[in-house]
Amino acid sequence: MSYAIVGFGKIGQALAHAFARKNIEVTVASRRPPEALAPQARAIGPTVVARSLRDAVEADTIILAVPFGEHREIAKALPSWKGKTVIDASNPT
């Protein structure tokens, strides 16, 4: 089972910390390039890895932690989401 968090603001980082505490590998991605997220990801723990959105959506379970309006752009990242588990932690405001 692979996991990804799309969105690396307060909610995304809190989730990344929870994964790191349990020593579970998780990919994090956002609008920013992975290089911009890498220092924060490394600071959280070695199991938190910054990757591109394209790489992140390849995970089995994807947690959306983005502003609500951005979900449409993320949906375009894959031609089909069949077989994916998506957990929506988006903020509607």
Side-chain angles (χ1 to χ4, degrees):
M1 179 74 58
S2 57
Y3 303 95
I5 301 166
V6 176
F8 205 50
K10 289 180 181 182
I11 293 171
Q13 288 183 38
L15 290 166
H17 278 279
F19 276 85
R21 279 192 299 275
K22 296 293 184 179
N23 204 33
I24 299 171
E25 188 169 316
V26 64
T27 295
V28 295
S30 78
R31 300 180 270 210
R32 298 179 292 162
E35 305 81 45
L37 306 178
Q40 288 172 295
R42 279 192 301 269
I44 293 171
T47 61
V48 180
V49 180
R51 300 216 188 281
S52 69
L53 177 60
R54 183 178 303 262
D55 290 338
V57 297
E58 293 300 320
D60 300 314
T61 300
I62 301 158
I63 303 169
L64 297 180
V66 298
F68 181 73
E70 291 184 32
H71 73 281
R72 287 184 179 95
E73 282 303 310
I74 294 165
K76 295 175 188 176
L78 281 177
S80 171
W81 288 76
K82 187 174 182 171
K84 302 287 183 183
T85 299
V86 179
I87 301 167
D88 188 358
S90 299
N91 188 346
T93 57

